[in-house]
Amino acid sequence: MAQDHLAASSPLPEHARLAAFAGEWDGEEMVFPSRWTAGGPATSRVVARMDLNGFYLIQDGVQMRDGKQVFATHGLFTYDRDDRTYKLFWYDSLGYTPPSPASGGWVGKTLTLVRGSLRGNARHVYEIIDDNSYSLKIQFSPDAEGWADVLTGVYRRIH
């Protein structure tokens, strides 16, 4: 009897943990001055869903400043059962293609993911505040040692 090679295994509890970020969210953000943008307050709308048989969280975000869209993101989160780490494939309207996904894990209610590129290192720190809010801090470091904030935000679930 032929084996069905397209039959997928079931998502693990680690995959399901990402569902904490599923839903629609309004964010209040602070953008820090960088080589990419001037600093200042911003708002964001984030829409995220668990998809592809529960293996992935797919997240899209739009950032507004002064009534205009200034930045957009597309993130694909998953748990890699081979190396037992979480992965974040991050794309944004700056147009850089990441050479590899960010990688990391949970400590308590905080998910930290780090990736490197020729431009430096980025760290995304997501912290679950409660069932209806989470925070995000995106940081940059040229050497993965001294981290500077690029963005901080608090996101509240839209009911």
Side-chain angles (χ1 to χ4, degrees), residues 6 29-30 49 87:
L6 294 179
E29 300 174 331
M30 179 54 64
R49 70 186 188 282
K87 303 292 186 191

Side-chain angles (χ1 to χ4, degrees), residues 59 71 73-75 88-92 96 98 115 124 126 138:
Q59 180 190 73
F71 192 61
T73 63
H74 180 77
L88 168 58
F89 298 83
W90 179 267
Y91 304 93
D92 60 42
Y96 296 111
R115 74 176 181 279
H124 294 231
Y126 295 83
I138 299 177

Side-chain angles (χ1 to χ4, degrees), residues 2-150:
Q3 185 177 4
D4 184 357
H5 293 286
L6 294 179
S9 58
S10 297
L12 300 172
E14 289 87 352
H15 292 104
R17 192 164 185 191
L18 293 167
F21 301 110
E24 293 187 39
W25 308 84
D26 277 333
E28 296 292 327
E29 300 174 331
M30 179 54 64
V31 179
F32 293 84
S34 70
R35 60 183 168 186
W36 300 286
T37 186
T43 60
S44 281
R45 171 67 54 98
V46 178
V47 177
R49 70 186 188 282
M50 293 300 295
D51 210 338
L52 302 172
N53 293 331
F55 287 102
Y56 298 92
L57 174 76
I58 300 171
Q59 180 190 73
D60 292 296
V62 174
Q63 184 184 76
M64 306 290 288
R65 293 177 76 183
D66 299 320
K68 297 178 183 161
Q69 179 179 323
V70 295
F71 192 61
T73 63
H74 180 77
L76 183 73
F77 298 73
T78 193
Y79 177 74
D80 186 332
R81 64 181 81 220
D82 291 334
D83 72 6
R84 297 185 177 149
T85 61
Y86 285 86
K87 303 292 186 191
L88 168 58
F89 298 83
W90 179 267
Y91 304 93
D92 60 42
S93 57
L94 293 178
Y96 296 111
T97 301
S100 61
S103 186
W106 289 91
V107 174
K109 293 183 174 189
T110 303
L111 174 61
T112 303
L113 302 149
V114 179
R115 74 176 181 279
S117 75
L118 295 176
R119 292 176 310 284
N121 301 279
R123 178 166 65 182
H124 294 231
V125 181
Y126 295 83
E127 183 175 1
I128 297 172
I129 298 168
D130 57 37
D131 289 345
N132 294 305
S133 58
Y134 71 90
S135 66
L136 168 62
K137 182 175 2 183
I138 299 177
Q139 299 174 308
F140 177 79
S141 172
D143 59 8
E145 291 183 17
W147 294 96
D149 289 344
V150 174

